[in-house]
Amino acid sequence: MIFQKAKYLKGEVTIPGDKSISHRAVMFGSLAEGTTEVTNFLQGADCLSTIDCFRKMGIEIENTPDHILIHGKGLHGLQAPSCILDAGNSGTTTRLISGILAAQNFETTLTGDASIQKRPMRRIIEPLSMMGANITSVNGNDCAPLRIVGAPLHGIHYHSKVASAQVKSSILLAGLYADGETRVTEPTVSRNHSEIMLKYFGADIRTENKTAIIQPEPVLKGQKVNVPGDISSAAYFIAAGLLVPGAEVYIHNVGINKTRNGIIKVAQAMGGDITFLNENNAGEPTADLLVKHSALHGITIEGDIIPTLIDELPIINIMAACAEGTTIIKDAAELKVKESNRIDVMVEHLSAMGCDITGTDDGMIINGGKPLHGTVVDSHMDHRIAMSFAIASLVAAGETTIKGSDVVTISYPNFYEDLAKLTR
Ligand code: S3P
């Protein structure tokens, strides 16, 4: 797809549902008794992979334009699938489902696309095995496909080396089936959607500082879940609103959970003009955001804020490229094991656009303020890379071509249509 520099960016956008929360609604709804109704569910390929996996395990899931209805069968109601489970491109599906599969009374093989088959799974194989799980990497490379033979599980206290909600959630889900309490302590608290939603469904789960603690064998009950707009998707419009001269964007119904809102804190610290409106703090907090064009300056981004903006670092790179001065990003080595190696890919393509950017072991250093120009960008089949460079193209001279641009179907199927409505 080919993009031109924008002369204009104004209007309103409603962001599709949060990807992390949509996955969890399907999973927990499947393990609950009775029907779970999910509105504003993200119809992205990743979340559809989760639906597909649970359907293959005997859960009836109705997907209509208005809502999703999940007819849960309780904690012990899953059936052995008659084929391999396919998580597609979704790390969340792969890692969270593994925690559930580890405790079933059947055997499964779980795989995914070429990217998933390269992503690290030792981080869940290790703690789940400590709980008694029988889980192996079929090719012996600590990646999917995974063969999981259900087994009785024990409660453990796991000290995770990485701040990862996927790892934490996988262990907590296994903990639903353990013979005692399960604790997960993280180096820095990662997104807490599992903790919030499991409690809402009736689980006995609490947090103490950086530790999540769950008791086994709750009776989960089907619930109504209204998924907030995904802040990770809103991030592209936040950046567009800040970067395009004269821009003003009103973004409706964005999830602003404090374990996810690092993008807003960083944008404001860089000098971004963002106003919160219609704040709603029931359950997962939401707000509308009004974003106006702003002169940005570089900052240092490191430490505890990193997990709260990990998926937004590619678009933060674009903001930093346009900001005056230096932006330093540290403590973000996790970028190397996302859908693509997001340090290498951002350095490669932002350099090609004229930006002064250097990759480091755990982040990047960007000397911003140099004019960007169009180039050919390869998405590396990474949705967040494609969307980040679509926004960069709005402020780059000439034409930007994005190869593999349709990968946005993973998390934001109508992204280009929504962007086109705002720009000229
Ligand atoms: C997610 C957690 C994050 C994030 C991913 C979604 C989740 O991954 O990058 O897009 O839904 O739990 P990690 O937990 O591996 O950091």
Side-chain angles (χ1 to χ4, degrees):
M1 201 161 165
I2 299 175
F3 298 83
Q4 308 286 346
K5 185 169 181 174
K7 296 190 195 72
Y8 169 100
L9 191 133
K10 256 194 180 78
E12 299 184 20
V13 59
T14 301
I15 300 296
D18 187 276
K19 181 157 77 69
S20 293
I21 296 175
S22 296
H23 280 299
R24 286 160 173 79
V26 172
M27 294 183 189
F28 306 168
S30 297
L31 301 182
E33 290 174 3
T35 302
T36 289
E37 180 188 9
V38 189
T39 44
N40 201 34
F41 179 81
L42 173 63
Q43 296 284 351
D46 271 10
C47 300
L48 297 177
S49 294
T50 293
I51 289 186
D52 181 58
C53 289
F54 281 91
R55 280 182 174 154
K56 287 190 172 128
M57 291 189 283
I59 304 297
E60 191 197 332
I61 302 176
E62 298 174 60
N63 189 351
T64 74
D66 289 345
H67 60 203
I68 303 261
L69 291 179
I70 304 147
H71 301 284
K73 292 189 176 167
L75 220 47
H76 299 278
L78 298 179
Q79 291 159 13
S82 56
C83 57
I84 286 177
L85 297 180
D86 187 352
N89 190 244
S90 175
T92 307
T93 310
T94 309
R95 296 198 179 105
L96 269 62
I97 278 194
S98 294
I100 298 170
L101 296 176
Q104 302 307 310
N105 58 4
F106 51 79
E107 178 180 334
T108 37
T109 301
L110 175 62
T111 193
D113 68 7
S115 153
I116 275 293
Q117 293 189 36
K118 286 194 220 119
R119 295 183 66 187
M121 294 298 154
R122 168 76 10 214
R123 53 182 59 199
I124 54 155
I125 293 174
E126 180 184 287
L128 293 176
S129 300
M130 286 166 68
M131 295 179 81
N134 181 346
I135 170 168
T136 43
S137 161
V138 170
N139 298 326
N141 59 356
D142 284 342
C143 299
L146 300 174
R147 182 174 308 114
I148 304 174
V149 185
L153 301 182
H154 318 293
I156 57 168
H157 185 171
Y158 190 67
H159 294 266
S160 182
K161 286 188 279 298
V162 282
S164 161
Q166 294 181 355
V167 170
K168 173 175 61 179
S169 304
S170 181
I171 300 166
L172 292 174
L173 287 167
L176 291 172
Y177 298 90
D179 60 1
E181 177 178 280
T182 296
R183 293 179 175 237
V184 186
T185 301
E186 299 186 275
T188 303
V189 175
S190 64
R191 65 191 66 190
N192 63 0
H193 306 303
S194 293
E195 295 89 310
I196 292 174
M197 202 189 292
L198 278 169
K199 192 172 181 127
Y200 179 56
F201 273 76
D204 182 351
I205 181 165
R206 65 182 204 278
T207 51
E208 286 174 10
N209 301 316
K210 295 174 183 172
T211 304
I213 306 160
I214 194 162
Q215 309 300 327
E217 294 297 337
V219 177
L220 303 180
K221 292 276 186 210
Q223 300 293 340
K224 282 189 192 311
V225 178
N226 183 26
V227 181
D230 196 327
I231 190 167
S232 298
S233 299
Y236 304 102
F237 294 98
I238 294 173
L242 296 175
L243 297 182
V244 174
E248 194 171 311
V249 194
Y250 192 97
I251 313 173
H252 290 272
N253 186 34
V254 181
I256 51 163
N257 177 318
K258 65 179 187 332
T259 62
R260 292 287 298 283
N261 68 3
I263 172 69
I264 298 177
K265 289 192 184 150
V266 158
Q268 289 175 330
M270 293 176 86
D273 181 348
I274 303 176
T275 311
F276 284 59
L277 298 123
N278 295 324
E279 274 192 62
N280 182 342
N281 283 312
E284 288 276 357
T286 59
D288 296 343
L289 304 179
L290 177 63
V291 183
K292 294 183 183 167
H293 171 246
S294 308
L296 301 184
H297 57 81
I299 59 167
T300 296
I301 307 168
E302 62 183 331
D304 286 358
I305 199 169
I306 293 293
T308 74
L309 47 68
I310 190 72
D311 291 340
E312 289 66 73
L313 283 168
I315 189 64
I316 288 172
N317 279 200
I318 307 294
M319 286 160 49
C322 301
E324 280 306 321
T326 303
T327 294
I328 301 173
I329 297 168
K330 293 186 206 166
D331 304 320
E334 280 293 298
L335 286 177
K336 295 190 230 174
V337 292
K338 294 295 178 187
E339 286 83 329
S340 68
N341 179 330
R342 290 179 178 163
I343 297 182
D344 287 358
V345 174
M346 290 309 297
V347 169
E348 178 192 346
H349 293 311
L350 258 181
S351 302
M353 293 184 99
C355 173
D356 176 355
I357 173 169
T358 311
T360 65
D361 258 3
D362 65 349
M364 47 278 276
I365 300 166
I366 298 169
N367 293 310
K370 294 213 167 78
L372 299 182
H373 55 77
T375 183
V376 178
V377 172
D378 185 337
S379 72
H380 292 258
M381 295 320 281
D382 182 336
H383 52 134
R384 304 214 185 275
I385 297 295
M387 291 188 275
S388 296
F389 282 99
I391 301 304
S393 76
L394 302 177
V395 289
E399 212 170 77
T400 302
T401 303
I402 302 181
K403 291 202 284 183
S405 56
D406 25 342
V407 66
V408 300
T409 51
I410 293 294
S411 64
Y412 196 158
N414 292 327
F415 174 70
Y416 299 118
E417 289 81 346
D418 285 356
L419 184 60
K421 280 185 208 145
L422 299 176
T423 48
R424 271 209 296 269

